[in-house]
Amino acid sequence: MNDFRYIKGELHCENVAIKDIVSAHNTPCYIYSHAALVRQWHAFDDAFDTRSHQICYAVKANSNIGVLNVLAQMGSGFDIVSGGELERVVKAGGSPSKVVFSGVGKQADEIKLALKKGIYCFNVESEAELHLIEEIATHFNVQAPIALRVNPDVDAQSHPYISTGLKENKFGVDSEDALRLYQYADKSSHLTVKGIACHIGSQLTTLAPFIDAVQRLLFLVKTLKENHILISHIDVGGGLGVRYQHETPPTISEYANALLAQIQDPQLTILLQPGRAIAASAGILVTKVIYLKLSGNKRFCIVDCAMNDFIRPALYQGWHDIIPVKKSLQMQPLMYDVVGPVCESGDFLAKDRTLSVASGDLLAICNAGAYGFVTSSNYNSRPRIAEVMVKNNEYKLIRKRESIEALFQEESIW
Ligand code: LLP
């Protein structure tokens, strides 16, 4: 959170006071630091600079085209999981030739779109998908570039909802099936074998599962070589965790060094798909206290953002620091559950936090730049909130707050 700091007791993003952004655009709103995005992306890029590599930022973490544009300008590639994400990348100025397409349920129109735009590679997740891609490529008489996303059957030791590398998860193809599928693809006149991929989960805080997974992939690369199938890249996925509370994830350079020590073949280009580690610390969610309420011996701090705006606490028991926008010693520090207006008991942003707050105060939910706005919804007919980007001493609205009318303008009466 280097790019969010207090100056004379007022929280700033880079050189802009958060209260000034709120005066212009109201709450709740997401605020992103341009400098933080640049720094985090470069940390990955620099850490791999001794080797041929490509960072393919995982668009799902934060897909605002303002954010994607910052990354595209630095030469980032992108990991997408839908036609919608591909259109966003193109709109943001990203190059399809640096796009990898992951996901277990790619549909024919998405495959067609990706072939038309000329993406770098499909990360194929099943035999049926391989056949559909081949069929479409044959129909259009083009070559479809493919990698198999292999399920290495390793435990990411993360939250069960965001662990993807175990056999019981829906992702990737079984290692035992990989050779056969590669042999099939290698013989096909409309499939071009490019590489091998994996992604074992998100918010990993230790290196061991990454190393384990990459070793299993490298074993397969060796088997492919013995079978005269040569690939040009190894895609290690995303997943590097961030510090939300007390976690101590490896640094980006520790992560890079651990992978580089394993992947020694200089012929293999290394692809990475980081999402969270680039975007999380680059964003905060600013909210206003509506009411303070005492119920029995429980205190609630009711704020104007809710689970529909930021679902991580409710869905993954995500812990996010909550800090005041203006430091004040006026109110007595008390323990609160910070909750939103949505009618569900699962609607909380934090539990048992000591805060010195009064109604009308502004609070910032930290490390909200990844999997924040992107997972928001209109539940309880709440318009999706504004997104602002700060660059040095300027800021720009990069997504307007939705209007109430927009919520039902596509609906109709019978
Ligand atoms: N590549 C693939 C194929 C993925 O499925 C994901 C994330 C990534 C890359 C990026 O992983 P990262 O570097 O961000 O860990 N909404 C959840 C996280 C879901 C992650 C889904 N896949 C959360 O808020 O924790």
Side-chain angles (χ1 to χ4, degrees), residues 54-80:
Q54 178 64 56
I55 313 294
C56 294
Y57 165 74
V59 172
K60 64 169 77 68
N62 185 324
S63 60
N64 185 294
I65 61 167
V67 170
L68 300 183
N69 175 258
V70 172
L71 303 176
Q73 280 188 29
M74 293 185 287
S76 190
F78 296 94
D79 165 53
I80 59 159

Side-chain angles (χ1 to χ4, degrees), residues 388-402:
V388 172
M389 186 177 293
V390 175
K391 185 176 180 187
N392 196 3
N393 51 9
E394 292 177 316
Y395 63 91
K396 187 172 183 217
L397 184 64
I398 58 169
R399 185 180 165 110
K400 216 172 121 189
R401 187 178 305 283
E402 236 169 8

Side-chain angles (χ1 to χ4, degrees), residues 307 310-320 346 348-350 365:
M307 66 188 291
F310 190 56
I311 205 168
R312 297 203 74 260
L315 193 56
Y316 311 100
Q317 291 80 51
W319 191 98
H320 288 259
F348 59 88
L349 288 316
I365 300 173

